[in-house]
Structures are given as C-alpha cells and as structure tokens.
Amino acid sequence: MTIIKISENRKKYMNLLFLADEQESMIDRYIDKGDMFILKEKDIVIAECIVVNIGKGEYEIKNIAVVPERQGQGYGKKLIEYVLSYYNDCRVMYVGTGDSDLTVPFYKSCGFEESHRIKNFFTDNYDKPIFENGKQLIDMVCLKRKKEE
C-alpha cells in the first residue's frame, strides 16, 4: 500500500470524488485549494482524500472516499492517520459530513468528535436533494480531532 500526493490532473479521480460529494460545482470549490492524496495497492487506486489548510494549524478534510468494494476494510482510517501525520503543524483536523448513520460513526471511530452543525447546508448548497442510506441530508455535521502531542 502506498499513499501519493497528487499535484496534477486531479479531475482524473472524479469518480472517487463523486462518492463523497455528488455535485461537481461543490468539488470545484476545493479541488485545487488543498492537497490531494491517493491510496494505492499495486496500481489500483483504492481511496482519495483532499485536505485544505484553513490556517493557524487547522486543516479540513474536504473529501475522502474509498471505492465501494474496499469500504469497511480500514483504508479510510489509514488515509486519515496519514494526513494527520503529514502536516507537522496540524493542531486540529476538521471534517464536515451529512448527518448519516454511515459517515458520522466512521469519523467518531477515527477519533473525531462533534464540533457543531451547519443548518440546512445540503438543502442550501446542492441543486438536488442528497440521500444517504435512505435519509435526506439537510444539516452538515462538523467534527474535529485534535492532534495528539
């Protein structure tokens, strides 16, 4: 398994990015503002992550996805641990997600705790309703993880 930072041709990974964010105009807001990492086994891309520096030792995971057939096997956690160690100045890592029974427990299992919520984020910012596991996403759940000293 290798993790590689991607500097060019990021749109090549749109199929993976769409797993975590269904609207291209939203992806366009951050795809070039942060660092993109991919996790590969041999020549197969299994996961990706985009992280943005928001200042003063704070970073935000804007997009993280694992190919469906490899989900639940620890690749997402490995990618999160990698990006936490990659940024030497990182004090706090944030992530925003839908209020979903799939994603919120995943982030909590990675050491994140709920920070706050952004009301109506998905209904105000997306062109069409987004559903996950049969539930419409409305509010964004923001979580944070303080980096261990």
Side-chain angles (χ1 to χ4, degrees):
M1 176 186 79
T2 56
I3 297 174
I4 303 163
K5 185 175 175 184
I6 303 297
S7 299
E8 299 175 350
N9 302 321
R10 292 178 176 196
K11 291 230 175 186
K12 172 182 175 182
Y13 303 97
M14 285 303 282
N15 286 343
L16 259 177
L17 294 167
F18 281 137
L19 291 174
D21 196 337
E22 297 178 15
Q23 189 167 300
E24 189 167 359
S25 64
M26 293 298 282
I27 293 170
D28 286 342
R29 290 181 181 185
Y30 58 77
I31 192 169
D32 292 322
K33 290 183 179 169
D35 295 322
M36 176 184 260
F37 302 90
I38 61 166
L39 183 151
K40 295 171 68 171
E41 275 190 343
K42 299 179 183 173
D43 287 333
I44 300 168
V45 177
I46 295 172
E48 66 73 30
C49 182
I50 296 178
V51 180
V52 173
N53 182 340
I54 56 177
K56 298 180 183 174
E58 297 181 343
Y59 291 80
E60 182 179 358
I61 296 171
K62 289 290 195 177
N63 189 309
I64 184 169
V66 177
V67 294
E69 59 272 16
R70 297 294 187 94
Q71 291 176 1
Q73 297 176 22
Y75 294 104
K77 285 184 180 182
K78 286 179 183 161
L79 201 47
I80 286 173
E81 292 305 319
Y82 178 84
V83 297
L84 280 166
S85 67
Y86 180 85
Y87 299 105
N88 294 328
D89 68 331
C90 179
R91 293 182 307 100
V92 181
M93 182 69 70
Y94 292 95
V95 65
T97 189
D99 190 2
S100 164
D101 295 338
L102 298 175
T103 54
V104 173
F106 165 72
Y107 289 116
K108 287 185 175 181
S109 75
C110 292
F112 287 82
E113 59 186 34
E114 191 169 329
S115 169
H116 61 283
R117 291 175 181 246
I118 301 173
K119 292 283 186 199
N120 303 315
F121 179 85
F122 292 97
T123 53
D124 290 347
N125 290 286
Y126 285 81
D127 296 338
K128 60 181 177 144
I130 297 177
F131 292 86
E132 190 167 293
N133 212 21
K135 178 181 177 185
Q136 183 178 356
L137 302 181
I138 297 172
D139 299 338
M140 178 185 281
V141 179
C142 299
L143 300 110
K144 68 179 179 180
R145 177 173 163 182
K146 292 182 180 176
K147 191 170 180 183
E148 298 170 13
E149 300 294 323

Coordinates of all heavy atoms in Angstrom, one line a residue, residues 21 23 25-27 29 118-130 137-138 140:
D21 N -18.9 13.4 -2.6 CA -19.6 14.7 -2.9 C -20.2 14.6 -4.3 O -19.5 14.5 -5.3 CB -18.5 15.8 -2.9 CG -19.2 17.2 -2.8 OD1 -20.3 17.4 -3.2 OD2 -18.4 18.1 -2.3
Q23 N -21.9 16.6 -6.2 CA -22.1 17.8 -7.1 C -20.7 18.3 -7.6 O -20.0 18.8 -6.7 CB -23.0 18.8 -6.4 CG -23.4 19.9 -7.4 CD -24.5 20.8 -6.7 OE1 -25.5 20.3 -6.4 NE2 -24.2 22.1 -6.6
S25 N -19.9 21.1 -9.0 CA -19.7 22.5 -8.7 C -19.2 22.7 -7.3 O -18.4 23.6 -7.0 CB -20.9 23.4 -8.9 OG -22.0 23.0 -8.0
M26 N -19.6 21.8 -6.4 CA -19.1 21.8 -5.0 C -17.6 21.3 -4.9 O -16.8 21.9 -4.2 CB -20.0 21.0 -4.1 CG -21.4 21.6 -3.9 SD -21.4 23.2 -3.1 CE -21.2 22.8 -1.4
I27 N -17.3 20.3 -5.7 CA -16.0 19.8 -5.7 C -15.0 20.8 -6.3 O -13.9 21.0 -5.8 CB -15.9 18.5 -6.6 CG1 -16.7 17.3 -5.8 CG2 -14.5 18.0 -6.8 CD1 -16.9 16.1 -6.7
R29 N -15.0 23.8 -5.9 CA -14.7 24.9 -4.9 C -13.4 24.6 -4.1 O -12.8 25.4 -3.6 CB -15.9 25.0 -3.9 CG -17.1 25.6 -4.4 CD -18.1 25.7 -3.3 NE -19.4 26.3 -3.7 CZ -20.4 26.6 -2.9 NH1 -20.3 26.4 -1.6 NH2 -21.5 27.1 -3.4
I118 N -24.0 22.9 10.8 CA -24.4 24.0 9.9 C -25.8 23.6 9.3 O -25.9 22.7 8.6 CB -23.4 24.2 8.7 CG1 -22.0 24.5 9.3 CG2 -23.8 25.3 7.8 CD1 -20.9 24.5 8.3
K119 N -26.7 24.4 9.8 CA -28.1 24.1 9.5 C -28.4 24.3 8.0 O -27.8 25.2 7.3 CB -29.1 25.1 10.2 CG -29.1 24.9 11.7 CD -30.0 23.7 12.0 CE -30.2 23.5 13.4 NZ -30.7 22.2 13.8
N120 N -29.1 23.4 7.4 CA -29.6 23.4 6.0 C -28.4 23.5 5.0 O -28.7 23.9 3.8 CB -30.5 24.6 5.8 CG -31.7 24.6 6.7 OD1 -32.3 23.5 6.9 ND2 -32.0 25.7 7.3
F121 N -27.3 23.0 5.3 CA -26.1 23.1 4.4 C -26.4 22.4 3.1 O -26.2 22.9 2.0 CB -24.9 22.5 5.0 CG -23.7 22.5 4.1 CD1 -22.9 23.7 4.0 CD2 -23.4 21.5 3.3 CE1 -21.8 23.7 3.2 CE2 -22.3 21.5 2.4 CZ -21.5 22.6 2.4
F122 N -26.9 21.2 3.2 CA -27.1 20.4 1.9 C -28.3 20.9 1.1 O -28.3 20.9 -0.1 CB -27.3 18.9 2.3 CG -26.0 18.3 2.8 CD1 -25.7 18.2 4.1 CD2 -25.0 18.0 1.9 CE1 -24.5 17.7 4.6 CE2 -23.8 17.5 2.3 CZ -23.6 17.3 3.7
T123 N -29.4 21.4 1.8 CA -30.5 21.9 1.1 C -30.2 23.3 0.5 O -30.7 23.7 -0.6 CB -31.8 22.0 2.0 OG1 -31.5 22.7 3.2 CG2 -32.2 20.6 2.3
D124 N -29.3 24.1 1.1 CA -29.0 25.4 0.6 C -27.9 25.4 -0.5 O -27.8 26.4 -1.2 CB -28.5 26.3 1.8 CG -29.6 26.7 2.7 OD1 -30.8 26.5 2.4 OD2 -29.3 27.2 3.8
N125 N -27.0 24.4 -0.5 CA -25.9 24.4 -1.4 C -25.9 23.4 -2.5 O -25.0 23.5 -3.4 CB -24.6 24.2 -0.5 CG -24.3 25.4 0.3 OD1 -23.9 26.4 -0.1 ND2 -24.6 25.3 1.6
Y126 N -26.8 22.5 -2.5 CA -26.9 21.5 -3.6 C -28.1 21.7 -4.4 O -29.2 22.0 -3.9 CB -26.8 20.1 -3.0 CG -25.4 19.7 -2.5 CD1 -24.9 20.2 -1.2 CD2 -24.5 19.0 -3.3 CE1 -23.7 19.9 -0.8 CE2 -23.2 18.7 -2.8 CZ -22.8 19.2 -1.6 OH -21.5 18.9 -1.2
D127 N -27.9 21.4 -5.7 CA -29.0 21.5 -6.7 C -30.2 20.6 -6.5 O -31.3 20.9 -6.9 CB -28.5 21.4 -8.1 CG -27.5 22.4 -8.5 OD1 -27.4 23.5 -7.9 OD2 -26.7 22.2 -9.4
K128 N -29.9 19.4 -6.0 CA -31.0 18.5 -5.8 C -30.8 17.8 -4.4 O -29.7 17.8 -3.8 CB -30.9 17.4 -6.9 CG -29.7 16.6 -7.0 CD -29.7 15.6 -8.1 CE -28.3 14.9 -8.1 NZ -28.2 13.6 -8.4
P129 N -31.9 17.2 -3.9 CA -31.7 16.5 -2.6 C -30.7 15.4 -2.6 O -30.6 14.7 -3.6 CB -33.1 16.0 -2.3 CG -34.0 16.8 -3.2 CD -33.2 17.2 -4.4
I130 N -30.0 15.3 -1.5 CA -29.0 14.2 -1.4 C -29.5 13.2 -0.3 O -29.8 13.7 0.8 CB -27.6 14.8 -1.0 CG1 -27.1 15.7 -2.2 CG2 -26.6 13.6 -0.8 CD1 -25.8 16.3 -1.9
L137 N -30.1 14.2 3.5 CA -29.1 15.0 4.2 C -29.5 16.5 4.2 O -29.8 17.0 3.1 CB -27.7 14.9 3.6 CG -27.2 13.5 3.5 CD1 -25.8 13.4 2.9 CD2 -27.2 12.8 4.9
I138 N -29.6 17.1 5.3 CA -30.0 18.5 5.4 C -28.9 19.3 6.1 O -28.4 20.2 5.5 CB -31.4 18.6 6.2 CG1 -32.5 17.9 5.4 CG2 -31.7 20.1 6.4 CD1 -33.8 17.8 6.1
M140 N -25.2 19.9 7.9 CA -23.8 19.4 7.9 C -23.4 19.2 9.4 O -23.5 20.1 10.2 CB -22.8 20.3 7.2 CG -21.4 19.7 7.3 SD -20.2 20.8 6.6 CE -20.4 20.5 4.8

